[in-house]
Amino acid sequence: MASARAVIRTLRPHQWVKNLFVAAPLVFAKHLVDGGYLWRTGVAVAAFCALSGAVYALNDVLDAEADRAHPTKRHRPIAAGALRERSAVVLAIVLAIAGLGACLALSWQTAAWAGAYLVLNLAYSLKLKHVAFIDVVLIASGFMTRVAAGGAAIAIAPSRWLLVCTGLLATFLALGKRAHELALATRDGRDAAATRAALAGYRVGWVRFAMLVLGLATAAAYVLYTVDAHTVEFFGTNELAWSAPFCVVGLARFAWLALKSPRPESPTDSMLRDGIFVSNLVAWGVVILVIVY
C-alpha cells in the first residue's frame, strides 16, 4: 500500500501556487472582499488543485522510465517505486472527477474550462510534450484556461490585458524551464533529449533570445495595462503603474535562476524557495492590494 507521503509528493502541492491564477479575475475585478465571490473562487482554486494533482499523477506514470534516467526526477515516488503506477492512475481518475464535479457545481462554463484544461494536459502528457515549441504553447494555454475558469466561476470575463499578460508570462516561464534543462544537461555532460525528447528541437542560444523577447514583452504588456485608460477609469487611479518595477524584478530574477544559476531542481521550484523572488512577489501583491482596495 502506498504511503501518504508518496501520494502527497506525487500530487506536488508546492506547485498548486500556480492555481492562484484562477483567483486573478477576482482580485482585478475588485471583488476580493465580497464573501460570495470569494467563496466561489475558493472552490474553483481547490478544484484546480485536484485537477492539477491528477495531471501530475498521470504524467509521472507516463514518464516513469525517463524519470529514472534524470538526476532528480528519479526520486519521484512512481519512478522510485514508492507508489505503484496502477494506484497513481486510480488516484488521477478520482481527483479529475472530483475537480470537474466541483467546477460543474459552480457553472457549466467553469466546468467547460476545467475540461479544456484536462484535455490540453492529457494531450501534452500523451504526445505533445515531445514536440518542441508546441509543449511550451500548451503549458501557457494551461495558465490561460485557469484564468478563464476563474472568471467563469464568478461570471466575470477576464480582461484582454489579463489574458495577454498571463499568456506572455506563462510562455516565458515555460521557456525558462527548457533553457534550464538544456543548461543543466550541458553542464553535466548529458544528452538533454534523453530525459525530455522535446529538448532535441531546442537550442540554448535561441531559447535565451526568445526568453529575452518574451520577458520584455511581458513587462511592456503589464506597463501598458497599468496606464491603459480603461484601467485608470476602472480603478479610479493611475498609481497602479507603481507596481511595474516589481514585475520587472520578478522576471529578471526568474531568468537568473533559470540561466545563470542552474540547479538540479526546476527554476519554477527554485523561485518558490528563493528569498529575493518570494519577497518581491509578496511586495508586489501588497502594493496591488493597497492601490486597488
Side-chain angles (χ1 to χ4, degrees):
M1 183 176 179
S3 68
R5 176 179 170 80
V7 170
I8 292 172
R9 286 183 59 205
T10 299
L11 300 182
R12 308 214 248 297
H14 64 283
Q15 292 285 359
W16 291 355
V17 67
K18 298 174 183 177
N19 294 317
L20 291 178
F21 276 85
V22 176
L26 173 77
V27 174
F28 289 98
K30 297 194 298 185
H31 284 298
L32 185 59
V33 294
D34 187 308
Y37 284 89
L38 187 60
W39 166 254
R40 294 179 67 84
T41 296
V43 171
V45 170
F48 268 80
C49 287
L51 294 173
S52 59
V55 169
Y56 288 133
L58 178 60
N59 190 68
D60 282 3
V61 170
L62 297 173
D63 279 358
E65 184 175 349
D67 285 350
R68 293 186 184 105
H70 193 276
T72 56
K73 292 181 181 180
R74 61 190 175 89
H75 298 299
R76 288 178 175 175
I78 297 173
L83 179 63
R84 291 191 304 172
E85 293 183 9
R86 182 175 180 179
S87 298
V89 171
V90 172
L91 177 64
I93 293 173
V94 171
L95 288 173
I97 292 174
L100 287 173
C103 288
L104 186 58
L106 293 172
S107 70
W108 71 264
Q109 294 94 334
T110 309
W113 283 114
Y117 171 84
L118 278 180
V119 169
L120 286 170
N121 278 280
L122 186 60
Y124 175 87
S125 295
L126 290 174
K127 181 68 177 178
L128 298 181
K129 66 183 175 184
H130 302 305
V131 183
F133 307 111
I134 298 297
D135 61 333
V136 168
V137 171
L138 284 179
I139 291 174
S141 297
F143 281 88
M144 295 183 73
T145 53
R146 285 179 172 98
V147 172
I154 57 176
I156 294 177
S159 72
R160 68 180 186 277
W161 281 116
L162 180 56
L163 291 173
V164 167
C165 289
T166 298
L168 289 171
L169 174 62
T171 307
F172 172 78
L173 295 176
L175 276 176
K177 290 184 67 175
R178 297 297 176 263
H180 168 268
E181 290 166 340
L182 287 168
L184 197 62
T186 300
R187 188 194 70 182
D188 297 342
R190 293 183 290 105
D191 178 12
T195 54
R196 187 183 294 277
L199 293 178
Y202 289 103
R203 297 294 178 271
V204 174
W206 188 95
V207 174
R208 289 183 174 181
F209 175 74
M211 280 188 69
L212 174 62
V213 172
L214 279 167
L216 292 173
T218 303
Y222 185 78
V223 171
L224 290 173
Y225 161 69
T226 64
V227 299
D228 183 72
H230 181 268
T231 302
V232 173
E233 180 183 358
F234 182 74
F235 292 116
T237 179
N238 59 3
E239 293 182 354
L240 202 62
W242 289 106
S243 67
F246 296 99
C247 172
V248 174
V249 170
L251 293 168
R253 184 60 180 177
F254 176 81
W256 188 88
L257 290 171
L259 302 175
K260 298 299 183 182
S261 180
R263 305 170 184 174
E265 62 182 357
S266 164
T268 53
D269 290 337
S270 296
M271 71 182 186
L272 299 177
R273 298 185 178 92
D274 182 72
I276 296 175
F277 184 90
V278 173
S279 298
N280 179 75
L281 181 63
V282 171
W284 173 80
V286 170
V287 168
I288 290 292
L289 292 177
V290 169
I291 294 173
V292 173
Y293 293 91

